[in-house]
Amino acid sequence: MALSIKDTLKVLLPYWKNHRKQLVGIFVLVILVVAADLLQPLVMKEAIDNYISVPNPDYNTLLLISALYLVIVIITFGLTYYQSILLQLTGQKIIKHIRIDLFSHIQSLSLKYFDKNTSGRIITNVVSDTEALNSFFTDFLANNLRNLFTLIMIIVFMFNLNVKIALYCFLVVPIIVLISAYFQKRLRKVNQEMRSRLSTLISFLAENLAGMSIVQIFNQEQKQYNEFENRNSAYLKSAITENRLTLA
């Protein structure tokens, strides 16, 4: 079963507390990267408005602005690279602790739980859920945090340049929000379906590998092959649908 954002935050919060310094560093780096990204078009605007689209361009100043632009690009690249390294390192450490705690929890479960759930399904859920947490931390959370700061800074720059045009741009915001909410709802449903089918697929594979001798004794290879093909096709269909919605 796919974790909701609220449930994911509840799981990650205790582990985040043990990595406060790294998370603060990531937060600061995100702000610096966004600021450096948005500074580039401002430098370009300054060069075009005051030194290119004029009767007598000042080439010496243009050269200095070009050098400044290059420096900003290099700094942005360095900050982005360091942010990605720190984010991945912190995320992997958190997921490592989660896996250890999860394995310890599985060991404490009753035999009744293992009777009701196949080993393949348990393995799939463990791997799938931890990987989902890792993706949430390293991809979803970081990207959304960066997009949030980018949006805030863009809004500030837009109102600083021209309030009237900025207000006109905001007329399409409700439409964008509605479309995003629609696709997000569909994507969450498809994602849950895909992970459920993946769990079923791997569980079926694990059971057949463990009982291959029984399958061969009763000459059930073709039947099991067809069943596996059907489940694999169903998972493929869900994965393709999820990719299409993600790209949309």
Side-chain angles (χ1 to χ4, degrees):
M1 181 178 179
L3 293 174
S4 65
I5 295 178
K6 183 179 179 181
D7 292 334
T8 303
L9 290 174
K10 285 182 179 179
V11 172
L12 288 176
L13 188 58
Y15 298 94
W16 284 353
K17 291 179 180 179
N18 297 326
H19 298 82
R20 292 189 188 93
K21 292 182 179 179
Q22 293 91 331
L23 293 173
V24 170
I26 293 170
F27 184 81
V28 172
L29 284 171
V30 168
I31 297 177
L32 292 176
V33 168
V34 171
D37 278 337
L38 296 180
L39 192 59
Q40 295 173 28
L42 287 179
V43 173
M44 189 70 70
K45 173 185 176 299
E46 181 70 17
I48 294 173
D49 291 347
N50 299 323
Y51 299 100
I52 295 179
S53 59
V54 293
N56 298 309
D58 187 347
Y59 294 106
N60 291 328
T61 305
L62 273 176
L63 187 61
L64 292 175
I65 292 177
S66 300
L68 175 62
Y69 185 85
L70 180 60
V71 170
I72 294 174
V73 170
I74 294 173
I75 291 175
T76 303
F77 174 79
L79 291 173
T80 303
Y81 177 78
Y82 185 64
Q83 174 204 313
S84 299
I85 294 296
L86 184 60
L87 184 64
Q88 291 291 336
L89 183 62
T90 305
Q92 291 300 328
K93 286 182 178 179
I94 291 175
I95 298 303
K96 173 190 172 184
H97 294 150
I98 291 176
R99 288 195 184 104
I100 292 173
D101 292 344
L102 188 56
F103 183 75
S104 177
H105 173 69
I106 291 174
Q107 286 183 313
S108 66
L109 295 173
S110 64
L111 294 176
K112 184 178 180 181
Y113 174 82
F114 297 99
D115 290 336
K116 290 184 175 180
N117 297 275
T118 63
S119 58
R121 182 176 294 276
I122 295 173
I123 292 172
T124 303
N125 289 337
V126 170
V127 174
S128 180
D129 286 345
T130 53
E131 189 58 34
L133 290 172
N134 184 38
S135 297
F136 177 84
F137 180 76
T138 58
D139 296 327
F140 177 81
L141 193 62
N143 290 336
N144 278 272
L145 186 62
R146 182 170 178 171
N147 292 337
L148 176 63
F149 283 116
T150 301
L151 182 61
I152 292 173
M153 288 185 150
I154 288 175
I155 292 173
V156 172
F157 289 145
M158 286 173 62
F159 277 97
N160 185 51
L161 292 172
N162 193 307
V163 176
K164 186 176 181 180
I165 294 178
L167 291 174
Y168 278 125
C169 292
F170 274 89
L171 292 176
V172 299
V173 171
I175 300 175
I176 295 174
V177 171
L178 290 174
I179 294 174
S180 299
Y182 169 75
F183 278 105
Q184 184 179 18
K185 184 177 180 180
R186 283 201 60 191
L187 184 60
R188 185 183 298 113
K189 182 179 179 181
V190 172
N191 181 263
Q192 291 176 352
E193 179 183 287
M194 186 188 73
R195 293 181 61 193
S196 175
R197 288 180 175 178
L198 177 62
S199 175
T200 303
L201 178 66
I202 296 181
S203 175
F204 181 81
L205 178 61
E207 290 173 357
N208 275 267
L209 290 176
M212 186 56 68
S213 58
I214 304 298
V215 173
Q216 292 178 346
I217 288 173
F218 288 95
N219 194 26
Q220 295 295 305
E221 293 92 338
Q222 188 61 44
K223 179 182 177 182
Q224 296 301 93
Y225 173 84
N226 293 335
E227 180 65 23
F228 181 81
E229 176 66 22
N230 292 334
R231 299 189 184 203
N232 192 32
S233 298
Y235 171 70
L236 175 63
K237 183 179 179 181
S238 297
I240 292 175
T241 303
E242 186 198 34
N243 288 332
R244 287 176 176 171
L245 290 174
T246 301
L247 292 174

